[in-house]
Amino acid sequence: MGEIIGSSRPDEVVAIGCHLDSWDVGQGAQDDGAGCAIVLDAARIIASLEERPQRTIRVVLFGNEENGLAGARA
């Protein structure tokens, strides 16, 4: 999804992520959607800081990782 490049250790990566696994009108969209909103806002806050993190922050929104692992394999 995106990265915030680290200031002194850019080759060391810290991943933050969430997953979306709800289909159609299922109620899980609220649960998983909230996790993705939290991850995106955490990345926004980190990116807005005056001092950059030392390590690269990688933001990942996973999808379809539970339905036959098609998303996980990709």
Side-chain angles (χ1 to χ4, degrees), residues 5 16 26 32 40-41 46 56 64 69 74:
I5 304 300
I16 59 174
D32 297 317
L40 290 173
D41 204 40
I46 293 168
T56 294
N64 196 28
L69 295 177

Side-chain angles (χ1 to χ4, degrees), residues 1-71:
M1 179 81 197
E3 289 185 335
I4 301 166
I5 304 300
S7 62
S8 63
R9 299 178 185 174
D11 56 329
E12 295 181 17
V13 177
V14 175
I16 59 174
C18 63
H19 70 108
L20 297 167
D21 64 355
S22 297
W23 305 288
D24 299 329
V25 295
Q27 295 183 14
Q30 197 174 46
D31 175 34
D32 297 317
C36 288
I38 291 166
V39 165
L40 290 173
D41 204 40
R44 181 190 63 77
I45 291 168
I46 293 168
S48 71
L49 298 174
E50 288 184 31
E51 186 175 344
R52 290 283 183 203
Q54 292 182 4
R55 293 170 179 83
T56 294
I57 307 293
R58 184 168 293 156
V59 181
V60 184
L61 308 182
F62 296 97
N64 196 28
E65 82 282 4
E66 294 176 354
N67 184 15
L69 295 177

